[in-house]
Amino acid sequence: MRWSQSHIYTLKEAPSDAEIPSHKLMIRAGLIKKLAPGLYTYGPLALRAIRKFENIIRQELDSRGGTEILMPIVHPRELWEETNRWEEMGAGLLKFKNRNEHWFCLGATHEEAVVDFVRNDVKSYKDLPKNIYQVQTKYRDEIRPRFGLMRGREFIMKDAYTFDADQASALKSYDVMYNAYKAIFDRLGVKYRIVQADAGNIGGSQTHEFQLLADAGEDSLLVSDTTDFAANIEVCPAIDSIAHVSHEAPKEIEKFATPGLKTIADLSKSTGVQEKDLVKTLFFSSNDRTNPKDTSLKPICVLLRGSDELNPIKLKNVLKLTNAPLMLTDAEVREVSGAHPGSCGPVGLKIPIYMDTGVQGLKNVIVGANEDGFHLKNVNFPKDFQATQIVDIRMAKAGDKCPESNGKLQAFRGIEVGHVFYLGKKYSEKMKATFLDSQGKAQAFEMGCYGIGVSRTVQACIEQNHDQDGIVWPQAIAPFDVHICLLDTKDPNAVEVCLKIEKELVAKGLDVLIDDRDERPGFKFKDADLLGMPYRIVIGKKGLEQNEVELVIRRTKEVSKVSPDVVSSLVKRA
Ligand code: ATP
Ligand code: MG
C-alpha cells in the first residue's frame, strides 16, 4: 500500500482525554478516531490489525470444529424476556422502540439469539455437539467508556457458543475452547495469564479469563509464586499468611465515648489499637433491584477487620445476587442501627450479619455502640452477637497465602481480553431449548459461551508493546510487516529498487507499506517509529550509490546496511 493513496494521518500530540499510552498512541498513529464517547472509527491501519487478529481466531476455531455465523445486532424485547435479562442487564442494554412501538435492544451479547437459532434446528442428540461463533459488533451502554478501544460502547467481539448433550461432553467442549484461546494468544506472542474469574451476569459455574499483562490494566490479578494458581482479585480466596488469632480471655463489654471519631483510622489513632485488630461494620441492601417493582431495602450488615477491604463480588455471590449490592446511605444506616455509620457495630442489630473469616480470630474487639459518639470495647463473638454466616468476603492481596500451596500471592495488572464460561442449562432451560436424547426424552442443551474482545485485544497488544517512540506491533497482527521509507521519491533508480523489493516481499506473503510522501527523512523515520511495523527498510539515493539499503528491526532498533538484492531474504514472516 502507498501511504499517499491511503488515509493515514499522524499527530504529534495526543488529545487530553487520552490517558493511557496505548490510547494516546492509537490516536497519534491515526489508527482510530473518536466519533462520540465510546464510539470510534477504525482507520485503515487499525482495521488491518483487527482483521488479522480475527483471522487468527477463525483459523484456530475452524480447525477445532467451529462454524461461523452472523446474528442480528438488533434483538426483540421478547427474546430477552425469556431469560429475564431484559431487566437483569440493567442500563447497559440499550433499548429503543421502532415505529410500530415495538421494543428492541442492541445486542450486548448473544446467548439468547444463538439459543433461538439452535432450538429451531437441532432436534436430536445425533446433531450434537455444536460449536457456533460469530465476529460482530456489540453495543454496551457503558457508564464510563474510556481508554479508547479498551472500554468502548461499540466494540468488536468474537463470541462462540457450544451445545452438548450432557455435562461431560460440555466440559470437553469447554476444554477445546480453552485450548483454542491458548493457541490464539500464543500466536499473538504477548504476555498473558489465564485466571479464575467471576461469571458476572452471564452466569455459569466454571469460568476463566484470559488477561494480557499491562500496568494500565483495569483488572487486579493475584498469581501464586509457587503453583499455577492465578485468579482475578474479584474471586481470589483470602487466606492470611500469618494467622490473626488472639488467645486473650474474653472480658466484659464496656461502653466508652468516642466523640467525632468516624473512621477506622481515627479510632486506631485515638485508642492505639492497630487497624488490623479493629472491626469495621458496613451496611448494604441485599435487594439488587433486578425486579424494579420490589423497592424493599433488605438491609444486611458486614463485619471486616479494620485493615481489610470488602470484596463486593464475593458479597454478591454469597447473597446470590445478580448485581453487586449497594451500600446503605447514612440515613438508611441510621434507620437500621440508630446511629451514624461511624458509630455502628453488630451488638443488638436485628438484621443479618455476614462476618468475614478474618474477624473470627479476634478477641475483645472495639466496635461502634449504635449510638452516636460511642463505641464498645471487649466485644466477643458469639457471646455478644450472632452471625448469619462466617464467610470470606474480603479482598485478597499480595503477600496472602496461595490457596493451593504454602507459597504467596503476587499482584499483577491485567486487561481482560477473553472469557470462557461453562453455562450448563441456564439459558436452554429458560428458553425451552431441547433436543431428544437417545431414549427419546426431551433434554435441555448443555451450553458454554466464549468471548474475545477483538478490538480491545488489538489495543491491549499496544499497551503491552510500545516504547517512547511509538507502537511495537507483535508481527502476527501488525497492519504491515514491512514499512519502506522511500527517501528520494523522484529518483528513478530508488523508485525501481523500492518496487522490486516490494514485489519480493509480497511474493513471500508479507504486507508492505511504502511511505512515498514527499517529506524529509527525519519526519518519515519518526512516523515509522510511531506506526511500529516490525521491519523498516530505508531506500535512498545516497545509500544506493554504495549498493546499500537500511534494514531496521523496530523492537530492538537494530540497524543493518545490506545490499538491496538480499534485504527481502532477511525479513521473516510472523
Ligand atoms: P469487563 O469486565 O471488562 O466489563 P465483561 O466481563 O463484561 O468485560 P464479557 O461479557 O466477558 O465482558 O465479554 C467478552 C469480552 O469482550 C471481554 O473479555 C472483553 O475482552 C470484551 N469487552 C467487554 N466489554 C467491552 C467493552 N466495553 N469494550 C471493549 N471490549 C469489551
Ligand atoms: Mg468477562
mmCIF file of all heavy atoms in Angstrom, residues 108-109 140 142 148-158 198 201-202 209-210 218-219 234 415-421 450-457, ligand 1:
data_model
loop_
_atom_site.group_PDB
_atom_site.id
_atom_site.type_symbol
_atom_site.label_atom_id
_atom_site.label_comp_id
_atom_site.label_asym_id
_atom_site.label_seq_id
_atom_site.Cartn_x
_atom_site.Cartn_y
_atom_site.Cartn_z
ATOM 1 N N ALA A 108 -25.875 -6.885 23.328
ATOM 2 C CA ALA A 108 -24.710 -6.674 24.186
ATOM 3 C C ALA A 108 -23.925 -7.972 24.289
ATOM 4 O O ALA A 108 -22.752 -7.994 24.655
ATOM 5 C CB ALA A 108 -25.166 -6.224 25.574
ATOM 6 N N THR A 109 -24.609 -9.074 23.993
ATOM 7 C CA THR A 109 -24.077 -10.418 23.998
ATOM 8 C C THR A 109 -25.179 -11.242 23.323
ATOM 9 O O THR A 109 -26.282 -10.736 23.134
ATOM 10 C CB THR A 109 -23.736 -10.873 25.443
ATOM 11 O OG1 THR A 109 -23.396 -12.257 25.426
ATOM 12 C CG2 THR A 109 -24.899 -10.677 26.401
ATOM 13 N N ARG A 140 -22.669 -1.981 24.261
ATOM 14 C CA ARG A 140 -22.991 -1.942 25.698
ATOM 15 C C ARG A 140 -22.957 -0.483 26.122
ATOM 16 O O ARG A 140 -21.963 0.203 25.876
ATOM 17 C CB ARG A 140 -21.973 -2.755 26.516
ATOM 18 C CG ARG A 140 -22.048 -4.222 26.183
ATOM 19 C CD ARG A 140 -21.124 -5.053 27.059
ATOM 20 N NE ARG A 140 -21.223 -6.453 26.684
ATOM 21 C CZ ARG A 140 -20.510 -7.424 27.233
ATOM 22 N NH1 ARG A 140 -19.649 -7.157 28.197
ATOM 23 N NH2 ARG A 140 -20.657 -8.670 26.832
ATOM 24 N N GLU A 142 -21.933 1.396 28.307
ATOM 25 C CA GLU A 142 -21.026 1.504 29.447
ATOM 26 C C GLU A 142 -21.208 2.860 30.128
ATOM 27 O O GLU A 142 -21.357 3.884 29.439
ATOM 28 C CB GLU A 142 -19.575 1.365 28.991
ATOM 29 C CG GLU A 142 -19.227 0.051 28.297
ATOM 30 C CD GLU A 142 -18.907 -1.064 29.282
ATOM 31 O OE1 GLU A 142 -18.940 -0.808 30.507
ATOM 32 O OE2 GLU A 142 -18.643 -2.192 28.828
ATOM 33 N N GLY A 148 -10.067 4.582 24.999
ATOM 34 C CA GLY A 148 -10.178 4.218 23.588
ATOM 35 C C GLY A 148 -10.942 2.918 23.398
ATOM 36 O O GLY A 148 -12.067 2.767 23.870
ATOM 37 N N LEU A 149 -10.303 1.969 22.710
ATOM 38 C CA LEU A 149 -11.000 0.710 22.411
ATOM 39 C C LEU A 149 -11.080 -0.227 23.611
ATOM 40 O O LEU A 149 -11.732 -1.264 23.544
ATOM 41 C CB LEU A 149 -10.296 -0.028 21.264
ATOM 42 C CG LEU A 149 -10.103 0.743 19.958
ATOM 43 C CD1 LEU A 149 -9.510 -0.176 18.891
ATOM 44 C CD2 LEU A 149 -11.421 1.335 19.467
ATOM 45 N N MET A 150 -10.394 0.123 24.699
ATOM 46 C CA MET A 150 -10.389 -0.770 25.868
ATOM 47 C C MET A 150 -11.797 -0.936 26.438
ATOM 48 O O MET A 150 -12.216 -2.024 26.786
ATOM 49 C CB MET A 150 -9.524 -0.192 26.987
ATOM 50 C CG MET A 150 -8.089 -0.215 26.683
ATOM 51 S SD MET A 150 -7.401 -1.843 26.846
ATOM 52 C CE MET A 150 -5.690 -1.382 26.857
ATOM 53 N N ARG A 151 -12.461 0.175 26.639
ATOM 54 C CA ARG A 151 -13.842 0.124 27.123
ATOM 55 C C ARG A 151 -14.668 1.040 26.241
ATOM 56 O O ARG A 151 -14.886 2.215 26.551
ATOM 57 C CB ARG A 151 -13.918 0.527 28.597
ATOM 58 C CG ARG A 151 -15.329 0.336 29.165
ATOM 59 C CD ARG A 151 -15.359 0.350 30.667
ATOM 60 N NE ARG A 151 -14.596 -0.737 31.230
ATOM 61 C CZ ARG A 151 -14.992 -2.008 31.276
ATOM 62 N NH1 ARG A 151 -16.162 -2.356 30.807
ATOM 63 N NH2 ARG A 151 -14.224 -2.934 31.793
ATOM 64 N N GLY A 152 -15.071 0.480 25.112
ATOM 65 C CA GLY A 152 -15.892 1.243 24.196
ATOM 66 C C GLY A 152 -17.357 0.980 24.493
ATOM 67 O O GLY A 152 -17.706 0.126 25.317
ATOM 68 N N ARG A 153 -18.229 1.733 23.828
ATOM 69 C CA ARG A 153 -19.659 1.384 23.870
ATOM 70 C C ARG A 153 -19.923 0.408 22.736
ATOM 71 O O ARG A 153 -20.585 -0.596 22.913
ATOM 72 C CB ARG A 153 -20.517 2.646 23.734
ATOM 73 C CG ARG A 153 -20.426 3.514 24.983
ATOM 74 C CD ARG A 153 -21.638 4.438 25.108
ATOM 75 N NE ARG A 153 -21.743 4.935 26.466
ATOM 76 C CZ ARG A 153 -21.661 6.218 26.818
ATOM 77 N NH1 ARG A 153 -21.488 7.143 25.892
ATOM 78 N NH2 ARG A 153 -21.764 6.578 28.069
ATOM 79 N N GLU A 154 -19.345 0.738 21.573
ATOM 80 C CA GLU A 154 -19.437 -0.193 20.459
ATOM 81 C C GLU A 154 -18.076 -0.859 20.338
ATOM 82 O O GLU A 154 -17.053 -0.174 20.383
ATOM 83 C CB GLU A 154 -19.729 0.625 19.204
ATOM 84 C CG GLU A 154 -20.530 -0.098 18.183
ATOM 85 C CD GLU A 154 -20.750 0.755 16.950
ATOM 86 O OE1 GLU A 154 -21.686 1.568 16.954
ATOM 87 O OE2 GLU A 154 -19.993 0.594 15.998
ATOM 88 N N PHE A 155 -18.036 -2.158 20.229
ATOM 89 C CA PHE A 155 -16.742 -2.835 20.097
ATOM 90 C C PHE A 155 -16.932 -4.162 19.363
ATOM 91 O O PHE A 155 -18.050 -4.665 19.270
ATOM 92 C CB PHE A 155 -16.094 -3.063 21.471
ATOM 93 C CG PHE A 155 -16.921 -3.876 22.441
ATOM 94 C CD1 PHE A 155 -16.714 -5.253 22.577
ATOM 95 C CD2 PHE A 155 -17.902 -3.280 23.211
ATOM 96 C CE1 PHE A 155 -17.477 -6.001 23.470
ATOM 97 C CE2 PHE A 155 -18.673 -4.022 24.100
ATOM 98 C CZ PHE A 155 -18.461 -5.386 24.231
ATOM 99 N N ILE A 156 -15.830 -4.676 18.842
ATOM 100 C CA ILE A 156 -15.921 -5.933 18.087
ATOM 101 C C ILE A 156 -15.607 -7.088 19.022
ATOM 102 O O ILE A 156 -14.600 -7.070 19.735
ATOM 103 C CB ILE A 156 -14.948 -5.943 16.893
ATOM 104 C CG1 ILE A 156 -15.266 -4.775 15.955
ATOM 105 C CG2 ILE A 156 -15.040 -7.278 16.137
ATOM 106 C CD1 ILE A 156 -14.272 -4.625 14.811
ATOM 107 N N MET A 157 -16.499 -8.058 19.044
ATOM 108 C CA MET A 157 -16.281 -9.251 19.866
ATOM 109 C C MET A 157 -16.402 -10.487 18.992
ATOM 110 O O MET A 157 -17.189 -10.517 18.045
ATOM 111 C CB MET A 157 -17.327 -9.342 20.984
ATOM 112 C CG MET A 157 -16.943 -10.329 22.089
ATOM 113 S SD MET A 157 -18.348 -10.923 23.062
ATOM 114 C CE MET A 157 -18.742 -9.509 24.037
ATOM 115 N N LYS A 158 -15.588 -11.474 19.323
ATOM 116 C CA LYS A 158 -15.823 -12.807 18.765
ATOM 117 C C LYS A 158 -16.562 -13.535 19.882
ATOM 118 O O LYS A 158 -16.055 -13.628 21.001
ATOM 119 C CB LYS A 158 -14.482 -13.489 18.458
ATOM 120 C CG LYS A 158 -14.597 -14.846 17.779
ATOM 121 C CD LYS A 158 -15.076 -15.962 18.682
ATOM 122 C CE LYS A 158 -14.206 -16.147 19.896
ATOM 123 N NZ LYS A 158 -14.818 -17.012 20.919
ATOM 124 N N ASP A 198 -14.996 -14.322 37.949
ATOM 125 C CA ASP A 198 -16.413 -14.290 38.305
ATOM 126 C C ASP A 198 -17.243 -14.387 37.017
ATOM 127 O O ASP A 198 -16.847 -13.873 35.974
ATOM 128 C CB ASP A 198 -16.738 -12.977 39.016
ATOM 129 C CG ASP A 198 -18.185 -12.914 39.455
ATOM 130 O OD1 ASP A 198 -18.602 -13.809 40.214
ATOM 131 O OD2 ASP A 198 -18.910 -11.997 39.027
ATOM 132 N N ASN A 201 -23.027 -11.354 35.086
ATOM 133 C CA ASN A 201 -24.432 -11.698 34.843
ATOM 134 C C ASN A 201 -24.618 -12.611 33.637
ATOM 135 O O ASN A 201 -25.717 -12.839 33.181
ATOM 136 C CB ASN A 201 -25.322 -10.452 34.769
ATOM 137 C CG ASN A 201 -24.853 -9.507 33.701
ATOM 138 O OD1 ASN A 201 -24.072 -9.887 32.835
ATOM 139 N ND2 ASN A 201 -25.319 -8.269 33.769
ATOM 140 N N ILE A 202 -23.501 -13.161 33.122
ATOM 141 C CA ILE A 202 -23.621 -14.212 32.102
ATOM 142 C C ILE A 202 -24.039 -15.505 32.814
ATOM 143 O O ILE A 202 -24.803 -16.305 32.294
ATOM 144 C CB ILE A 202 -22.277 -14.426 31.359
ATOM 145 C CG1 ILE A 202 -21.789 -13.140 30.709
ATOM 146 C CG2 ILE A 202 -22.376 -15.568 30.357
ATOM 147 C CD1 ILE A 202 -22.388 -12.772 29.377
ATOM 148 N N GLU A 209 -10.730 -16.257 32.783
ATOM 149 C CA GLU A 209 -10.457 -15.080 31.957
ATOM 150 C C GLU A 209 -9.044 -15.179 31.402
ATOM 151 O O GLU A 209 -8.139 -15.676 32.083
ATOM 152 C CB GLU A 209 -10.527 -13.800 32.803
ATOM 153 C CG GLU A 209 -11.927 -13.376 33.166
ATOM 154 C CD GLU A 209 -11.963 -12.253 34.202
ATOM 155 O OE1 GLU A 209 -10.901 -11.880 34.749
ATOM 156 O OE2 GLU A 209 -13.066 -11.770 34.488
ATOM 157 N N PHE A 210 -8.882 -14.667 30.199
ATOM 158 C CA PHE A 210 -7.553 -14.527 29.602
ATOM 159 C C PHE A 210 -7.167 -13.069 29.750
ATOM 160 O O PHE A 210 -7.903 -12.184 29.283
ATOM 161 C CB PHE A 210 -7.580 -14.973 28.131
ATOM 162 C CG PHE A 210 -7.683 -16.473 28.001
ATOM 163 C CD1 PHE A 210 -8.845 -17.138 28.370
ATOM 164 C CD2 PHE A 210 -6.606 -17.221 27.545
ATOM 165 C CE1 PHE A 210 -8.937 -18.524 28.281
ATOM 166 C CE2 PHE A 210 -6.688 -18.608 27.444
ATOM 167 C CZ PHE A 210 -7.860 -19.266 27.815
ATOM 168 N N GLU A 218 -7.195 -2.743 33.893
ATOM 169 C CA GLU A 218 -8.213 -2.399 34.895
ATOM 170 C C GLU A 218 -8.391 -3.510 35.918
ATOM 171 O O GLU A 218 -8.992 -3.307 36.956
ATOM 172 C CB GLU A 218 -9.569 -2.181 34.204
ATOM 173 C CG GLU A 218 -9.658 -0.896 33.432
ATOM 174 C CD GLU A 218 -11.074 -0.646 32.928
ATOM 175 O OE1 GLU A 218 -11.694 -1.567 32.384
ATOM 176 O OE2 GLU A 218 -11.556 0.482 33.106
ATOM 177 N N ASP A 219 -7.919 -4.704 35.605
ATOM 178 C CA ASP A 219 -8.150 -5.845 36.499
ATOM 179 C C ASP A 219 -6.937 -6.121 37.379
ATOM 180 O O ASP A 219 -5.794 -6.020 36.931
ATOM 181 C CB ASP A 219 -8.471 -7.097 35.679
ATOM 182 C CG ASP A 219 -9.878 -7.042 35.104
ATOM 183 O OD1 ASP A 219 -10.629 -6.123 35.462
ATOM 184 O OD2 ASP A 219 -10.237 -7.907 34.297
ATOM 185 N N GLU A 234 -11.302 -10.413 42.067
ATOM 186 C CA GLU A 234 -12.746 -10.487 42.349
ATOM 187 C C GLU A 234 -13.150 -11.809 43.010
ATOM 188 O O GLU A 234 -14.106 -11.859 43.759
ATOM 189 C CB GLU A 234 -13.544 -10.341 41.044
ATOM 190 C CG GLU A 234 -13.456 -8.961 40.434
ATOM 191 C CD GLU A 234 -14.232 -8.858 39.123
ATOM 192 O OE1 GLU A 234 -14.668 -9.887 38.569
ATOM 193 O OE2 GLU A 234 -14.393 -7.739 38.652
ATOM 194 N N ILE A 415 -5.458 -6.877 31.492
ATOM 195 C CA ILE A 415 -6.549 -6.420 30.622
ATOM 196 C C ILE A 415 -7.301 -7.668 30.187
ATOM 197 O O ILE A 415 -6.712 -8.559 29.563
ATOM 198 C CB ILE A 415 -5.996 -5.692 29.382
ATOM 199 C CG1 ILE A 415 -5.165 -4.472 29.801
ATOM 200 C CG2 ILE A 415 -7.131 -5.284 28.437
ATOM 201 C CD1 ILE A 415 -4.312 -3.887 28.673
ATOM 202 N N GLU A 416 -8.590 -7.744 30.527
ATOM 203 C CA GLU A 416 -9.371 -8.934 30.167
ATOM 204 C C GLU A 416 -9.618 -8.931 28.660
ATOM 205 O O GLU A 416 -10.349 -8.102 28.148
ATOM 206 C CB GLU A 416 -10.708 -8.936 30.920
ATOM 207 C CG GLU A 416 -11.538 -10.164 30.607
ATOM 208 C CD GLU A 416 -12.993 -10.045 31.054
ATOM 209 O OE1 GLU A 416 -13.262 -9.415 32.094
ATOM 210 O OE2 GLU A 416 -13.851 -10.587 30.353
ATOM 211 N N VAL A 417 -9.000 -9.890 27.973
ATOM 212 C CA VAL A 417 -9.186 -9.955 26.523
ATOM 213 C C VAL A 417 -10.071 -11.121 26.105
ATOM 214 O O VAL A 417 -10.625 -11.133 25.012
ATOM 215 C CB VAL A 417 -7.830 -10.021 25.782
ATOM 216 C CG1 VAL A 417 -7.143 -8.668 25.833
ATOM 217 C CG2 VAL A 417 -6.931 -11.111 26.344
ATOM 218 N N GLY A 418 -10.199 -12.120 26.971
ATOM 219 C CA GLY A 418 -11.045 -13.251 26.629
ATOM 220 C C GLY A 418 -11.671 -13.836 27.881
ATOM 221 O O GLY A 418 -11.168 -13.644 28.997
ATOM 222 N N HIS A 419 -12.809 -14.509 27.680
ATOM 223 C CA HIS A 419 -13.523 -15.052 28.832
ATOM 224 C C HIS A 419 -14.245 -16.316 28.380
ATOM 225 O O HIS A 419 -14.976 -16.277 27.387
ATOM 226 C CB HIS A 419 -14.517 -13.998 29.332
ATOM 227 C CG HIS A 419 -14.915 -14.182 30.758
ATOM 228 N ND1 HIS A 419 -15.452 -13.184 31.517
ATOM 229 C CD2 HIS A 419 -14.846 -15.258 31.556
ATOM 230 C CE1 HIS A 419 -15.709 -13.640 32.733
ATOM 231 N NE2 HIS A 419 -15.350 -14.906 32.777
ATOM 232 N N VAL A 420 -14.019 -17.421 29.049
ATOM 233 C CA VAL A 420 -14.730 -18.665 28.707
ATOM 234 C C VAL A 420 -15.622 -19.071 29.887
ATOM 235 O O VAL A 420 -15.215 -18.976 31.038
ATOM 236 C CB VAL A 420 -13.746 -19.807 28.329
ATOM 237 C CG1 VAL A 420 -13.034 -19.477 27.031
ATOM 238 C CG2 VAL A 420 -12.729 -20.082 29.424
ATOM 239 N N PHE A 421 -16.838 -19.486 29.571
ATOM 240 C CA PHE A 421 -17.798 -19.871 30.613
ATOM 241 C C PHE A 421 -18.395 -21.241 30.306
ATOM 242 O O PHE A 421 -18.796 -21.489 29.163
ATOM 243 C CB PHE A 421 -19.036 -18.960 30.625
ATOM 244 C CG PHE A 421 -18.816 -17.520 30.839
ATOM 245 C CD1 PHE A 421 -18.468 -16.685 29.791
ATOM 246 C CD2 PHE A 421 -19.019 -16.955 32.092
ATOM 247 C CE1 PHE A 421 -18.306 -15.326 29.977
ATOM 248 C CE2 PHE A 421 -18.869 -15.599 32.283
ATOM 249 C CZ PHE A 421 -18.512 -14.786 31.232
ATOM 250 N N TYR A 450 -18.200 -18.178 25.044
ATOM 251 C CA TYR A 450 -16.777 -17.849 24.979
ATOM 252 C C TYR A 450 -16.591 -16.548 24.210
ATOM 253 O O TYR A 450 -16.987 -16.468 23.050
ATOM 254 C CB TYR A 450 -16.026 -18.970 24.238
ATOM 255 C CG TYR A 450 -16.480 -20.362 24.657
ATOM 256 C CD1 TYR A 450 -17.575 -20.974 24.034
ATOM 257 C CD2 TYR A 450 -15.844 -21.045 25.688
ATOM 258 C CE1 TYR A 450 -18.023 -22.231 24.427
ATOM 259 C CE2 TYR A 450 -16.280 -22.307 26.083
ATOM 260 C CZ TYR A 450 -17.379 -22.889 25.455
ATOM 261 O OH TYR A 450 -17.823 -24.126 25.846
ATOM 262 N N GLY A 451 -16.013 -15.534 24.853
ATOM 263 C CA GLY A 451 -15.862 -14.241 24.175
ATOM 264 C C GLY A 451 -14.404 -13.812 24.068
ATOM 265 O O GLY A 451 -13.606 -14.070 24.978
ATOM 266 N N ILE A 452 -14.088 -13.168 22.970
ATOM 267 C CA ILE A 452 -12.795 -12.474 22.862
ATOM 268 C C ILE A 452 -13.093 -11.048 22.423
ATOM 269 O O ILE A 452 -13.820 -10.825 21.449
ATOM 270 C CB ILE A 452 -11.847 -13.136 21.842
ATOM 271 C CG1 ILE A 452 -11.361 -14.491 22.362
ATOM 272 C CG2 ILE A 452 -10.629 -12.235 21.575
ATOM 273 C CD1 ILE A 452 -10.417 -15.223 21.420
ATOM 274 N N GLY A 453 -12.559 -10.095 23.178
ATOM 275 C CA GLY A 453 -12.720 -8.694 22.801
ATOM 276 C C GLY A 453 -11.702 -8.386 21.716
ATOM 277 O O GLY A 453 -10.537 -8.123 22.012
ATOM 278 N N VAL A 454 -12.152 -8.421 20.467
ATOM 279 C CA VAL A 454 -11.210 -8.290 19.346
ATOM 280 C C VAL A 454 -10.585 -6.896 19.331
ATOM 281 O O VAL A 454 -9.360 -6.748 19.306
ATOM 282 C CB VAL A 454 -11.922 -8.588 18.005
ATOM 283 C CG1 VAL A 454 -10.997 -8.321 16.831
ATOM 284 C CG2 VAL A 454 -12.409 -10.028 17.981
ATOM 285 N N SER A 455 -11.443 -5.860 19.367
ATOM 286 C CA SER A 455 -10.886 -4.505 19.295
ATOM 287 C C SER A 455 -10.087 -4.186 20.558
ATOM 288 O O SER A 455 -9.036 -3.548 20.492
ATOM 289 C CB SER A 455 -11.999 -3.481 19.065
ATOM 290 O OG SER A 455 -13.131 -3.752 19.865
ATOM 291 N N ARG A 456 -10.571 -4.674 21.721
ATOM 292 C CA ARG A 456 -9.816 -4.437 22.954
ATOM 293 C C ARG A 456 -8.447 -5.106 22.894
ATOM 294 O O ARG A 456 -7.446 -4.534 23.335
ATOM 295 C CB ARG A 456 -10.597 -4.949 24.171
ATOM 296 C CG ARG A 456 -9.848 -4.713 25.469
ATOM 297 C CD ARG A 456 -10.535 -5.356 26.664
ATOM 298 N NE ARG A 456 -11.684 -4.584 27.128
ATOM 299 C CZ ARG A 456 -12.404 -4.923 28.204
ATOM 300 N NH1 ARG A 456 -12.097 -6.007 28.900
ATOM 301 N NH2 ARG A 456 -13.425 -4.195 28.580
ATOM 302 N N THR A 457 -8.389 -6.312 22.349
ATOM 303 C CA THR A 457 -7.108 -7.028 22.311
ATOM 304 C C THR A 457 -6.085 -6.275 21.467
ATOM 305 O O THR A 457 -4.906 -6.206 21.828
ATOM 306 C CB THR A 457 -7.303 -8.445 21.733
ATOM 307 O OG1 THR A 457 -8.266 -9.126 22.508
ATOM 308 C CG2 THR A 457 -5.994 -9.225 21.764
HETATM 309 P P1 ATP B 1 -15.486 -6.164 31.579
HETATM 310 O O1 ATP B 1 -15.378 -6.908 32.869
HETATM 311 O O2 ATP B 1 -14.188 -5.632 31.077
HETATM 312 O O3 ATP B 1 -16.598 -5.159 31.551
HETATM 313 P P2 ATP B 1 -17.087 -8.318 30.675
HETATM 314 O O4 ATP B 1 -16.615 -9.354 31.610
HETATM 315 O O5 ATP B 1 -18.352 -7.643 30.897
HETATM 316 O O6 ATP B 1 -15.920 -7.232 30.472
HETATM 317 P P3 ATP B 1 -17.631 -10.311 28.676
HETATM 318 O O7 ATP B 1 -19.098 -10.288 28.734
HETATM 319 O O8 ATP B 1 -16.876 -11.404 29.303
HETATM 320 O O9 ATP B 1 -17.063 -8.896 29.175
HETATM 321 O O10 ATP B 1 -17.232 -10.098 27.137
HETATM 322 C C1 ATP B 1 -16.231 -10.817 26.437
HETATM 323 C C2 ATP B 1 -15.061 -9.928 26.083
HETATM 324 O O11 ATP B 1 -15.459 -8.737 25.415
HETATM 325 C C3 ATP B 1 -14.306 -9.423 27.289
HETATM 326 O O12 ATP B 1 -13.402 -10.401 27.744
HETATM 327 C C4 ATP B 1 -13.611 -8.196 26.739
HETATM 328 O O13 ATP B 1 -12.384 -8.549 26.126
HETATM 329 C C5 ATP B 1 -14.561 -7.676 25.694
HETATM 330 N N1 ATP B 1 -15.296 -6.492 26.178
HETATM 331 C C6 ATP B 1 -16.277 -6.456 27.096
HETATM 332 N N2 ATP B 1 -16.728 -5.209 27.280
HETATM 333 C C7 ATP B 1 -16.005 -4.417 26.431
HETATM 334 C C8 ATP B 1 -16.011 -3.022 26.133
HETATM 335 N N3 ATP B 1 -16.853 -2.187 26.737
HETATM 336 N N4 ATP B 1 -15.140 -2.564 25.197
HETATM 337 C C9 ATP B 1 -14.292 -3.396 24.568
HETATM 338 N N5 ATP B 1 -14.247 -4.717 24.807
HETATM 339 C C10 ATP B 1 -15.085 -5.230 25.717
#
